[in-house]
Amino acid sequence: MELSNERLAYLSLMREIEDFYYAEADMLDERDYDKWLALFADDVRYWMPIRKNVAFDNLARETTAEDDIAWIDDDKATLVKRVKQLMTGFHWAEEPISRVSHVVTNIRLTEAVTTIAEGATATVKSRFLIYRNRLETETDILVGRREDMLRRKGETFEVTRRKILIEQSVLRAKNLTVFF
Amino acid sequence: MSTPLGSAKSLVDTDNGEISREIFVNHDLYKQELEQIFGRAWLFVGHESQIPKSGDFFSSKMGEESVILTRDRAGKIHVFLNSCRHRGMKVCRYDEGNTTNFICPYHAWSYTTDGRLVGVQDYDNLYRPPFDKGEWGLVEVAQLANFHGTIWATWDKNAPSFEDYLGEATFGLAGALRAWDGSDGETELLGSVQKWIVPNNWKFIAENFAGDNLHVVSHRSVEMVGIGPGSNGRRDDYGEAKRAAYPGGHGIVYSLVPPKKTFVQYSASPVTSDYFQERWEKRLEKLGDQAGIFPLIGTIFPNMSFHGQQPRTLLLAHPRGPQETEMWRFYFVDKGAPAEVKEFLRRYYIRYSGPAGMTEQDDMENWNYASSASDGLIARRHPYHYKAGLGRGGKDPVIPGHVTTKEAPGTEQNPRALYKRWAEFMDAPSWDALR
């Protein structure tokens, strides 16, 4: 079967985006945080709203709004501080370090595009499964969805916005010291 | 009354500052706490700004049990046990919303927002003689109080009034809930509540916020990094601290700012900083000599804590077992603050507190493994040490309560007062013995 050039361009773009996310997961799990921070635009919003139990006719309030309390609502400066905190050696919640694996899957471009031009953006959805184990038996499994705005930057992308939806209302983890 | 291990007083020796680990790990003591403490103390349920309109509701908890905070058609606030009188189903499984009736999804009994049973399936046919629906409304708390917008309730009709329950701590809680310019009732919750589960006894949280001034090493990393509203440390300058303990088990740490000083708050955001400066000047006019007194942190016995200055939050530590607690963080702001100020504060609050809070994360690691390392057979034989500042402090000219100032800043007097009251509750057969 012959693939059209358009189809090939799309598949090539998807592979590039998948590679971007797989590389990101390795940076996090190998604690290569400086490289990881460089994936984010200086004006990034890294936002993890809270999920609530609401009635069928009140679903608009199922996820907290942009000006409401969230689990996390960071700008780049705060992300940099979180990384600095992890690297102090005195951040007891991650000292000794946790063992973490990020599984990223269900990667989808939401728009029908085959290329992203320099400086242009595209929305990419994905699922995450983050396994964290620390000390002896303490274990958390965090599962959810991400919606990123990626901006083309030369041979790679930068994340200009990340929305993280975790599939829990009462959080079952004692803290959120992992990145999503 | 005595606990499964003898009197609670024998486990809590606050005169010598030694407290048995059993009270943090023992299952039988935990069950007794639910009855003796959570069954009769005044408990924080929510804030009136969560239910501004008739029919609004917010699902809360008292001890381990689910309750509904709601406002009826006449505008009156109620707190009900969230359990159908017919077969116990939760009549409300939503965190919040607005409704005319709570309709049970099991057998369709329905209740109005003032708790009356109004709908029973096939009522005319099935019940001969008809039963009195008036006697089968939702179970309501025995007493409810609205204190500067915060809603409190108790299951015990013999409990004293909420202000008597607070005693001299009324001064501190009222101060914490004031708007920044010193006016009453002009604060509101900043949106939704964070809820998460921590693997430790609830009392670690209560004592931490009552005033544990020795746990600074917990926050070493965040102090190094600087997340405060002036970009360094955890907070801007908050003045000289004074610790006050109260016989009701409450503990508050006050900060005192000299009235004439320009008071720099939230210095990383000029708009926010200007707002607080302008409010500070109004506060000086309104409160005079008292203007510089800010309740910084505190715990109202048993399980409600607050940050009254920077950041501004309320915290509930709901018990779920001797080694498990559900934490709820509510954030609050001046109602009239400009949107830009609220936005700056929102981001600061949640990078400080909550499960992703760069300060709170390290507390939870410590509470977790302090709890679990106290559970062993040998561990339980050795009491905890609460001797810092024993015998220090006394009356203060400005702050009510038993106050310790600079002479012993690390005093553990506030946790000692909390556990003294804890033992009194555990041993007392009724409220008459607690007055």
Side-chain angles (χ1 to χ4, degrees):
Chain A
M1 189 180 80
E2 284 272 314
L3 290 175
S4 68
N5 285 344
E6 199 184 1
R7 185 70 187 159
L8 282 169
Y10 167 78
L11 291 173
S12 162
L13 178 63
M14 279 308 297
R15 280 297 302 125
E16 192 186 358
I17 291 171
E18 286 163 7
D19 277 345
F20 178 80
Y21 285 120
Y22 300 154
E24 182 191 10
D26 278 349
M27 288 170 202
L28 285 173
D29 298 341
E30 290 161 17
R31 301 170 61 81
D32 199 349
Y33 292 124
D34 288 337
K35 255 193 190 167
W36 180 74
L37 281 171
L39 303 180
F40 292 88
D42 289 342
D43 58 349
V44 68
R45 183 177 188 184
Y46 179 95
W47 177 50
M48 184 172 174
I50 296 169
R51 312 287 296 280
K52 294 196 274 194
N53 299 294
V54 295
F56 187 76
D57 57 2
N58 197 22
L59 277 179
R61 292 184 60 82
E62 197 268 347
T63 300
T64 52
E66 304 218 6
D67 60 352
D68 197 346
I69 291 299
W71 292 123
I72 301 169
D73 198 345
D74 284 354
D75 54 14
K76 181 79 177 264
T78 305
L79 286 177
V80 169
K81 286 184 176 177
R82 287 187 191 277
V83 165
K84 273 193 185 158
Q85 188 180 26
L86 285 168
M87 303 311 277
T88 58
F90 300 106
H91 186 20
W92 313 121
E94 284 295 330
E95 176 57 34
I97 61 168
S98 300
R99 292 163 288 274
V100 182
S101 257
H102 285 72
V103 178
V104 182
T105 179
N106 299 38
I107 298 167
R108 281 187 59 233
L109 262 165
T110 64
E111 295 129 76
V113 294
T114 56
T115 55
I116 303 169
E118 184 66 21
T121 59
T123 304
V124 180
K125 289 182 167 183
S126 58
R127 292 285 202 284
F128 62 82
L129 187 154
I130 301 168
Y131 176 88
R132 173 175 67 169
N133 176 285
R134 67 179 276 94
L135 294 177
E136 291 158 13
T137 57
E138 187 184 343
T139 304
D140 291 302
I141 297 173
L142 306 166
V143 179
R145 291 172 265 166
R146 295 191 309 198
E147 188 176 307
D148 285 356
M149 183 77 83
L150 295 188
R151 182 161 57 205
R152 167 67 75 189
K153 192 181 170 191
E155 295 291 292
T156 183
F157 304 103
E158 57 181 5
V159 182
T160 65
R161 182 188 153 93
R162 173 164 289 175
K163 177 181 172 182
I164 303 144
L165 288 178
I166 190 164
E167 311 293 5
Q168 290 178 5
S169 177
V170 177
L171 193 73
R172 297 198 62 91
K174 78 177 189 223
N175 61 31
L176 294 171
T177 50
V178 295
F179 291 109
F180 291 88
Chain B
M1 182 168 285
S2 71
T3 75
L5 299 169
S7 76
K9 202 166 179 298
S10 69
L11 300 168
V12 174
D13 180 358
T14 52
D15 293 339
N16 291 308
E18 292 186 14
I19 295 177
S20 168
R21 296 184 187 216
E22 292 285 353
I23 79 165
F24 300 91
V25 296
N26 184 291
H27 283 258
D28 295 328
L29 282 175
Y30 172 75
K31 286 289 175 202
Q32 198 166 344
E33 278 181 334
L34 293 181
E35 187 177 342
Q36 296 282 101
I37 295 175
F38 293 92
R40 59 191 184 188
W42 278 94
L43 302 173
F44 174 76
V45 178
H47 193 275
E48 64 178 4
S49 64
Q50 293 177 289
I51 49 163
K53 299 190 298 292
S54 286
D56 285 350
F57 64 86
F58 168 71
S59 292
S60 190
K61 293 182 85 174
M62 292 172 69
E64 285 190 349
E65 287 171 279
S66 175
V67 297
I68 309 169
L69 168 66
T70 187
R71 190 184 290 271
D72 72 19
R73 283 186 179 200
K76 192 176 170 220
I77 293 174
H78 300 268
V79 176
F80 301 112
L81 186 69
N82 185 5
S83 182
C84 183
R85 293 293 302 278
H86 176 241
R87 204 66 88 245
M89 176 64 186
K90 275 178 125 172
V91 296
C92 178
R93 289 167 300 142
Y94 307 122
D95 298 340
E96 61 180 40
N98 183 283
T99 192
T100 48
N101 289 308
F102 297 105
I103 302 170
C104 182
Y106 196 2
H107 303 95
W109 282 32
S110 60
Y111 305 86
T112 54
T113 48
D114 59 3
R116 284 176 299 121
L117 174 65
V118 290
V120 174
Q121 196 181 160
D122 213 7
Y123 179 78
D124 293 334
N125 221 2
L126 282 177
Y127 303 98
R128 304 280 166 77
F131 71 87
D132 181 0
K133 282 192 263 187
E135 291 179 2
W136 291 87
L138 290 173
V139 176
E140 187 157 14
V141 293
Q143 300 184 59
L144 184 144
N146 182 340
F147 185 81
H148 300 267
T150 54
I151 309 298
W152 301 74
T154 172
W155 296 113
D156 195 328
K157 63 182 189 322
N158 295 318
S161 73
F162 182 63
E163 295 222 3
D164 285 350
Y165 178 86
L166 287 177
E168 285 187 315
T170 305
F171 174 82
L173 184 61
L177 296 169
R178 258 190 211 122
W180 207 259
D181 68 358
S183 60
D184 283 339
E186 296 300 317
T187 51
E188 63 181 5
L189 285 195
L190 182 58
S192 300
V193 182
Q194 294 176 329
K195 304 173 183 178
W196 74 106
I197 292 172
V198 291
N200 59 257
N201 188 276
W202 63 273
K203 293 188 289 299
F204 279 99
I205 303 163
E207 75 156 69
N208 186 85
F209 289 96
D212 169 4
N213 308 289
L214 296 174
H215 83 286
V216 284
V217 70
S218 294
H219 302 306
R220 185 163 174 191
S221 67
V222 79
E223 291 284 3
M224 287 166 80
V225 168
I227 60 156
S231 297
N232 45 21
R234 287 187 279 149
R235 306 182 180 112
D236 286 338
D237 174 31
Y238 58 78
E240 178 205 345
K242 292 190 177 185
R243 286 109 195 134
Y246 299 92
H250 323 300
I252 297 174
V253 180
Y254 296 87
S255 77
L256 278 85
V257 178
K260 294 295 166 207
K261 190 178 149 189
T262 301
F263 188 28
V264 180
Q265 292 271 292
Y266 302 103
S267 48
S269 157
V271 173
T272 311
S273 187
D274 289 352
Y275 173 77
F276 280 97
Q277 181 58 29
E278 182 244 329
R279 295 281 119 176
W280 170 239
E281 281 156 24
K282 285 215 168 73
R283 185 183 176 97
L284 285 170
E285 275 170 38
K286 192 170 301 220
L287 299 179
D289 292 346
Q290 304 256 303
I293 304 172
F294 290 92
L296 180 68
I297 56 161
T299 290
I300 301 303
F301 184 86
N303 69 331
M304 184 274 198
S305 303
F306 60 83
H307 281 114
Q309 199 199 45
Q310 272 192 18
R312 301 195 79 190
T313 77
L314 308 175
L315 168 68
L316 280 174
H318 297 298
R320 288 176 64 102
Q323 300 264 18
E324 191 167 282
T325 304
E326 188 168 321
M327 289 179 73
W328 286 17
R329 272 245 180 245
F330 305 68
Y331 298 86
F332 69 106
V333 286
D334 284 5
K335 210 178 265 182
E340 194 176 335
V341 170
K342 287 183 182 175
E343 176 61 10
F344 179 80
L345 295 177
R346 184 181 70 85
R347 288 197 164 199
Y348 167 53
Y349 291 176
I350 64 174
R351 75 171 177 264
Y352 188 105
S353 294
M358 294 167 70
T359 303
E360 197 138 64
Q361 288 173 348
D362 290 322
D363 285 318
M364 293 178 292
E365 179 79 0
N366 286 327
W367 300 334
N368 179 355
Y369 289 100
S371 244
S372 63
S374 297
D375 197 23
L377 175 74
I378 307 303
R380 290 189 195 204
R381 293 178 186 162
H382 301 278
Y384 288 159
H385 186 283
Y386 288 86
K387 294 175 190 282
L390 263 178
R392 311 289 279 276
K395 283 267 172 227
D396 182 85
V398 186
I399 307 287
H402 182 94
V403 178
T404 302
T405 55
K406 281 183 226 170
E407 93 262 12
T411 181
E412 287 166 326
Q413 62 162 38
N414 290 13
R416 284 196 295 272
L418 187 147
Y419 292 116
K420 184 160 188 265
R421 191 57 169 168
W422 179 91
E424 288 167 2
F425 263 79
M426 291 291 276
D427 286 336
S430 72
W431 254 110
D432 291 336
L434 282 165
R435 276 170 220 277

